[in-house]
Amino acid sequence: MPGLQVVALISGGKDSLFSILHCQANGHEVVALANLYPAKSNVNVDDTDSYMYQTIGHAVIPLYERALGLPLFRQEIKGTAVDQNRSYGPQAPATGASEDETESLVPLLKQVKAAIPEVNAVSTGAIMSDYQRTRVESVALRLGLTPLSYLWQWPSLSQNTQSSLLEDMAAVGQDSRIIKVASGGLDDSFLWQNVAERRTISRLTKAAERFGSSDTGAIIGEGGEFETLAVDGPAPLWKHRINVGEDEREVVPGEAGTASIRFRHPSLEAKGEVNPEHMKPRIPETLDERSESILKSTLSHFKAATEATQASDASPASRIHVGEQKAVPGLITSRSAAGQSPAAQMQSIMDTLRTELEDILPGVGVASIAYTSIILRNMADFGEINAVYGRYFNFPTPPARVTIACADAIPNGCDVMLGATYSTSRSQSTATRRGLHVQSRSYWAPANIGPYSQAFVLQSDRELDQDAVLYVAGQIPLIPASMELACSPSKDALTTFAYQAVLALQHADRIGNVMSSKRWTAGVAFIVAPGAGDVRRLGQVARHTWTAWHETSNGPAEDNSDEHEEEDFDVWHLTQNFARSGTATRQPQQDRQSTKPLKAPPLWVIRVDALPRGASIEWAMYGSMTEQDVAVEKIPHLCHLLDVFQRQLV
């Protein structure tokens, strides 16, 4: 797959510069830098109150053009944070009102594209901030650019903690200095410290623990606790280092205990030659340790088992039927329509659905939809059907969705069938939707570039999560960083299927973690198999994988406290009995990943004709947002799918 031509959005901070190294490590070429700076009226102000952009240290930004040897494009920030919702969708400003500051990215990136037409991607340093990520994605996709956020959810990935990001920066020689502190746990003694040095990591960890924020990204500054400026990094990316002598830095006290550094005359110093092979950043493994263990267990079980043993594996879950004539609040059973083409049929279905929902929920309409299922006669029709479908969901968090092709499940004369689950709340709006729509490539889970979200929470009471259900979009085994279908190194069909099953299940579980789901309630494995014997065998593999996933857990990260210096610990830290380590340990997982073995939730395996991208398995999963389980009967869309696919149950 050819690499992308990337423009890197930089603020000068550690994450935006480290992301460039990951773009290069994934085979892309970074061809330009782009930055937004304070308006001329604030040009002498070191820091502005922007929700979206880091502006502290903006006077140093011009030096990056020579430091990295890449053309730098800059644009003035205009407007304010008009839309402060977590997710973002562009809206025309009201008469006399200022435009949202996010839109300043549009002329900046257009300027880059005009100068370098081959640019087709944009990178960011987003780690945990939906606010920043969704805004960059909105602008990038409008301009035809692929968003890249390789650090997204970094602390939750394989062998990672918050501090491992800083340790990885140190490993490649990136030197990023703290230039602003804005947290009660940090004072001006942190200023100009290398954020990736072991002692600084230890101090940041203890400060975060003291204020109860060690699990919220505070150690890496995700809550605005501190800001950084990258001054050096590995060759061949860095050609010069940025020098700021002690007499060129001034500590400036701010309000409410904040403090920052003002720079006078920073300069550049040429770097010596460094072997680039030794400076590539560590890339997380596609399968984490838990997934690798489950894959090995599954393969060992099935390659050693006899047919009799396999036949004794988990039996199919009981069938649940939903009467076709029974109206269920919040569920619109599969709609189909006659038409000259699949696209025309989809348009007819969506027009009818929109009218029906406007009658039920005036002023809300399709914005009430949380989850849809699309069943096709032929997967080859997906492109044109998806284009029509997407026109009805042009808001930030479209419904989660599962898509499969199964000709036997569709009425004769029809090419597409759609079902929808919607919120019955009249207060629902596009701004209050509880969805997750990540459209950037990362190492975390596949990007959803299109009209569907990774997950959606549907609840009857907007103030409480009681009875709330998490609907996760169908997950197929794509490699998140490249969006290519994963293939096992082995050409053996069983090994490839097991690998894809584990990877896709890992995707779904990571999505559940980000959405703060407490436990899985039920799942469906849609599988594609060439013959009857293969169906039975692959169905058993899917069930074994599902059971193993729920009976294993992620333990806490290993405590490497002995590696840290004794001088880094104070009396308060020891008396409060915190781990004596500068490394933040991974937080305990939710109940569905507790250290105690759990009984696997019910799973149904359904044979279909085809899945998106030629995948062999797609997981559709449903979770509970509380400690209490949710009865399968309380998930009408799941019951409906089981009714539709009665003859395809394995």
Side-chain angles (χ1 to χ4, degrees), residues 437-630:
H437 193 199
V438 179
Q439 301 180 84
S440 297
R441 290 191 195 178
S442 67
Y443 301 116
W444 168 69
N448 282 10
I449 300 178
Y452 70 108
S453 297
Q454 275 89 354
F456 208 100
V457 175
L458 188 65
Q459 59 194 55
S460 55
D461 186 335
R462 296 202 56 78
E463 300 300 322
L464 300 172
D465 273 335
Q466 187 175 4
D467 297 329
V469 176
L470 175 69
Y471 291 81
V472 175
Q475 293 300 305
I476 61 175
L478 298 178
I479 298 174
S482 65
M483 292 299 290
E484 295 178 319
L485 187 68
C487 294
S488 167
S490 170
K491 294 183 179 180
D492 174 68
L494 178 66
T495 301
T496 297
F497 179 83
Y499 183 87
Q500 292 193 350
V502 172
L503 177 59
L505 189 54
Q506 175 181 280
H507 295 335
D509 203 62
R510 286 180 173 179
I511 292 168
N513 282 336
V514 171
M515 293 299 291
S516 300
S517 168
K518 300 300 182 184
R519 60 196 304 125
W520 292 118
T521 293
V524 176
F526 295 99
I527 65 171
V528 177
D534 296 313
V535 171
R536 180 168 170 272
R537 186 169 175 80
L538 298 186
Q540 290 168 346
V541 172
R543 289 193 179 91
H544 185 277
T545 301
W546 176 261
T547 300
W549 190 274
H550 291 87
E551 292 181 350
T552 59
S553 65
N554 282 331
E558 182 180 354
D559 181 3
N560 297 317
S561 58
D562 291 342
E563 298 180 6
H564 295 273
E565 301 173 9
E566 188 68 26
E567 66 182 18
D568 287 341
F569 306 100
D570 57 28
V571 174
W572 181 91
H573 199 68
L574 296 175
T575 57
Q576 295 301 315
N577 198 32
F578 281 99
R580 295 182 54 182
S581 171
T583 302
T585 57
R586 183 176 299 167
Q587 297 301 305
Q589 301 293 317
Q590 287 91 351
D591 279 0
R592 54 188 169 82
Q593 293 181 347
S594 70
T595 55
K596 296 180 180 179
L598 298 175
K599 181 181 178 181
L603 173 73
W604 289 266
V605 179
I606 296 173
R607 181 188 182 182
V608 296
D609 299 336
L611 295 170
R613 304 288 293 275
S616 60
I617 186 168
E618 177 177 354
W619 295 98
M621 293 169 62
Y622 310 88
S624 171
M625 300 302 291
T626 69
E627 304 293 343
Q628 301 300 316
D629 206 350
V630 176

Side-chain angles (χ1 to χ4, degrees), residues 130-395:
D130 285 310
Y131 187 93
Q132 292 178 329
R133 176 187 54 75
T134 60
R135 281 154 176 76
V136 173
E137 289 173 349
S138 172
V139 173
L141 293 170
R142 277 183 272 155
L143 298 179
L145 299 173
T146 299
L148 307 175
S149 297
Y150 286 114
L151 304 187
W152 178 248
Q153 292 297 319
W154 185 271
S156 68
L157 303 183
S158 176
Q159 297 182 328
N160 285 357
T161 62
Q162 290 183 57
S163 61
S164 67
L165 174 65
L166 304 179
E167 292 160 358
D168 285 345
M169 291 178 181
V172 297
Q174 178 169 306
D175 184 349
S176 302
R177 302 304 177 105
I178 297 175
I179 60 172
K180 180 182 178 180
V181 290
S183 168
L186 309 179
D187 57 27
D188 61 10
S189 68
F190 282 85
L191 294 175
W192 206 242
Q193 298 301 303
N194 183 342
V195 72
E197 285 185 348
R198 178 177 294 180
R199 188 172 186 277
T200 306
I201 294 173
S202 178
R203 293 182 66 200
L204 289 170
T205 301
K206 289 188 292 184
E209 289 171 341
R210 182 175 299 186
F211 283 82
S213 57
S214 61
D215 61 343
T216 60
I219 297 168
I220 51 178
E222 278 298 285
E225 293 83 2
F226 61 88
E227 304 287 359
T228 60
L229 183 76
V231 296
D232 196 7
L237 175 62
W238 287 75
K239 279 73 175 176
H240 296 77
R241 63 173 55 89
I242 298 173
N243 281 336
V244 184
E246 186 173 353
D247 57 346
E248 302 296 333
R249 306 190 304 267
E250 177 188 356
V251 175
V252 180
E255 297 179 353
T258 65
S260 61
I261 292 178
R262 178 179 295 152
F263 302 99
R264 293 193 179 93
H265 302 290
S267 60
L268 293 173
E269 177 185 343
K271 293 170 60 69
E273 291 296 326
V274 179
N275 184 351
E277 292 301 318
H278 296 165
M279 294 301 178
K280 291 183 178 179
R282 177 182 65 89
I283 293 179
E285 297 293 336
T286 302
L287 292 181
D288 62 24
E289 301 94 322
R290 180 188 185 197
S291 298
E292 280 283 3
S293 175
I294 291 171
L295 176 61
K296 290 178 181 178
S297 168
T298 299
L299 292 176
S300 175
H301 174 80
F302 281 93
K303 288 185 176 180
T306 63
E307 285 294 322
T309 302
Q310 292 173 27
S312 67
D313 275 352
S315 58
S318 59
R319 300 189 179 192
I320 295 177
H321 299 277
V322 176
E324 293 184 6
Q325 304 303 317
K326 182 179 179 181
V328 179
L331 173 68
I332 294 179
T333 54
S334 293
R335 298 288 192 261
S336 58
Q340 294 183 343
S341 69
Q345 293 177 40
M346 176 57 86
Q347 182 164 337
S348 177
I349 292 169
M350 291 304 301
D351 285 342
T352 301
L353 181 63
R354 180 171 58 186
T355 300
E356 188 172 349
L357 287 174
E358 283 290 349
D359 289 341
I360 298 171
L361 298 167
V364 181
V366 295
S368 64
I369 299 177
Y371 184 73
T372 64
S373 54
I374 296 179
I375 306 172
L376 307 175
R377 182 172 298 280
N378 191 330
M379 188 58 73
D381 297 328
F382 174 72
E384 59 177 299
I385 286 173
N386 191 51
V388 174
Y389 175 90
R391 293 201 292 265
Y392 294 81
F393 300 107
N394 57 352
F395 38 81

